[in-house]
Amino acid sequence: MYKKRKILAVIPARGGSKGIRHKNIRKINGIPLIGYTLKILKDISMIDFCIVSTDSKKIAKISEGYGFNVPFFRPRKLSGDLVADIDVLKSTLLDSENLNKIQYDIIIMLQPTSPMRKKEDIEKAIKKLVNDNLDSVWSLSLSDKKNHPLKQLVINKNSFSYYKKGGEKIIARQQLKNLYQRNGIIYALTRDCIIREKKLMGKKTGYILINRTLVNIDNELDIKFAEFLLKNNK
């Protein structure tokens, strides 16, 4: 709880994955990927309840090994590749409230595929959401200008063109505005943002900026990079 707001942490971890088989329990430096998130949650006293949203008995068993019960499984209809995060959050929120007979004020989503998160990232996002009276807070990282949209190209049959108009005018990276990307470390939302607005990005959205090297696990190369970063993380 923070300033009388009851807080629910949701870890979405379905069993299926096309890129990496059993991605959420794939071991990185000897620890299941989901384990990095669960270990951090044990140290955050302001969170009232943590729930792993999964359709997998294997993930449930590993979560229980870290001290987190999985009292219900995610419905099959919410376990596909194209299911929106907001639908998973709403279902998990309502099931958790029914289970605990409590109405939560703040819901945070912590994706296991971002193992580089720190305790202070989570606490900072929650405090910003409450103290600035926001609907949602996302964690962002500065994007590399090498991948800026004005430098991207689109292939059209046997030719190609710039993805965005104006790309041909870019000579040096100093001409490019800074852009930012969501890094999956944390999404913090109010209950109303999920139930009424039905969006991850509310009408009053803020952000926390994370200025260290991160990795979001999508492929085998990401796993190698994560192993390197975690092994050398002081």
Side-chain angles (χ1 to χ4, degrees):
M1 185 179 293
Y2 178 69
K3 291 190 175 180
K4 298 184 178 180
R5 271 76 160 189
K6 296 183 180 68
I7 302 172
L8 171 69
V10 177
I11 303 93
R14 67 187 183 93
S17 174
K18 288 187 175 179
I20 302 173
R21 195 164 181 265
H22 302 309
K23 177 170 64 175
N24 286 313
I25 55 176
R26 173 74 175 268
K27 287 191 175 180
I28 296 181
N29 293 343
I31 298 174
L33 182 55
I34 194 172
Y36 286 95
T37 298
L38 296 178
K39 283 167 63 178
I40 286 177
L41 285 171
K42 288 185 175 182
D43 296 330
I44 304 177
S45 58
M46 65 172 63
I47 295 176
D48 296 278
F49 187 63
C50 301
I51 186 77
V52 176
S53 173
T54 187
D55 57 346
S56 164
K57 291 182 179 179
K58 287 183 179 179
I59 292 175
K61 187 175 181 181
I62 288 174
S63 300
E64 288 166 356
Y66 282 90
F68 293 87
N69 292 325
V70 181
F72 52 81
F73 283 91
R74 185 191 298 192
R76 183 174 294 181
K77 65 180 181 179
L78 295 178
S79 298
D81 294 328
L82 300 178
V83 174
D85 289 327
I86 192 66
D87 295 328
V88 173
L89 286 178
K90 180 181 177 181
S91 175
T92 308
L93 167 62
L94 294 178
D95 285 344
S96 297
E97 290 183 335
N98 184 56
L99 174 72
N100 296 325
K101 310 302 178 189
I102 291 174
Q103 181 168 299
Y104 294 99
D105 304 295
I106 295 170
I107 298 85
I108 62 172
M109 180 170 69
L110 307 171
Q111 296 167 319
T113 47
S114 296
M116 310 299 297
R117 66 173 50 85
K118 295 182 178 181
K119 174 183 175 182
E120 50 264 38
D121 299 330
I122 298 172
E123 293 176 337
K124 186 176 180 181
I126 292 171
K127 289 176 180 178
K128 185 170 185 64
L129 183 77
V130 175
N131 296 337
D132 291 0
N133 192 30
L134 300 171
D135 298 319
S136 53
V137 170
W138 292 17
S139 57
L140 306 179
S141 295
L142 180 66
S143 295
D144 191 330
K145 287 187 177 179
K146 292 176 183 176
N147 299 315
H148 196 283
L150 287 177
K151 298 182 74 174
Q152 299 302 303
L153 304 170
V154 177
I155 292 178
N156 303 303
K157 293 185 178 180
N158 296 321
S159 184
F160 64 89
S161 59
Y162 283 99
Y163 172 68
K164 293 199 72 174
K165 233 177 180 182
E168 69 278 0
K169 297 178 182 178
I170 300 302
I171 298 172
R173 64 179 181 177
Q174 289 80 7
Q175 295 174 271
L176 299 169
K177 288 184 178 180
N178 284 338
L179 294 180
Y180 301 85
Q181 61 195 40
R182 48 182 170 173
N183 52 42
I185 291 292
I186 184 171
Y187 297 84
L189 305 98
T190 62
R191 187 180 191 276
D192 280 353
C193 192
I194 293 174
I195 301 298
R196 294 184 182 179
E197 295 188 50
K198 300 177 183 178
K199 294 179 180 178
L200 285 182
M201 182 184 290
K203 293 177 181 177
K204 296 185 292 182
T205 299
Y207 65 90
I208 61 168
L209 193 59
I210 298 179
N211 292 314
R212 62 181 188 274
T213 303
L214 301 173
V215 60
N216 200 305
I217 307 295
D218 283 321
N219 53 50
E220 292 291 338
L221 184 59
D222 292 333
I223 287 180
K224 296 296 183 186
F225 189 36
E227 287 175 338
F228 171 78
L229 290 175
L230 290 165
K231 193 175 290 184
N232 292 278
N233 182 17
K234 298 181 181 179

